[in-house]
Amino acid sequence: QVRLVESGGGLVQAGGSLRLSCAASGSTFSIIGMGWYRQAPGKQREYVASITSGGSANYVDSVKGRFTISRDDAENTVSLQMNSLKPEDTAVYYCYVNTEFRYYWGQGTQVTVSS
């Protein structure tokens, strides 16, 4: 089992920055990929970014150039640096990790961007 705890959400004005962090505990040796999804009110959960065990990162087009994902395998954390935030980035952000057999999810952290 892997447990995930997120932190770093909050309220920020448009153009501002936030950094989300997600700490994994438990069977962290089995983690392969790590990443983030988000869910805005009334919308489906959408992919935001992911990073492989080799450090290769991918992003949804809407955040490219503004968000940066990173991971620290020594600390078992994945982070999402979010710059130039827009009101449309407002959502609950969920971190995840995947092992060979399943995905694990965090509880979510609210990000609100005011215009």
Side-chain angles (χ1 to χ4, degrees):
Q1 294 288 323
V2 177
R3 292 172 295 279
L4 301 174
V5 177
E6 296 143 345
S7 60
L11 172 65
V12 64
Q13 288 188 331
S17 298
L18 282 175
R19 184 177 180 86
L20 306 182
S21 293
C22 177
S25 62
S27 301
T28 57
F29 62 88
S30 61
I31 293 173
I32 301 173
M34 309 178 87
W36 295 87
Y37 274 67
R38 66 186 179 187
Q39 188 166 18
K43 295 187 177 181
Q44 290 188 331
R45 191 175 295 192
E46 70 165 349
Y47 166 86
V48 177
S50 60
I51 186 165
T52 67
S53 56
S56 178
N58 287 284
Y59 303 90
V60 66
D61 285 347
S62 60
V63 308
K64 284 181 180 177
R66 301 188 298 122
F67 291 11
T68 302
I69 189 170
S70 60
R71 63 188 284 173
D72 184 334
D73 290 333
E75 297 292 330
N76 297 310
T77 59
V78 58
S79 298
L80 188 67
Q81 177 66 42
M82 306 185 295
N83 299 328
S84 302
L85 282 161
K86 304 175 181 180
E88 51 264 43
D89 294 318
T90 294
V92 177
Y93 284 70
Y94 298 90
C95 72
Y96 77 88
V97 302
N98 67 281
T99 68
E100 182 179 358
F101 302 107
R102 60 166 290 182
Y103 282 71
Y104 295 89
W105 295 90
Q107 80 284 359
T109 185
Q110 177 70 48
V111 171
T112 303
V113 184
S114 63
S115 56

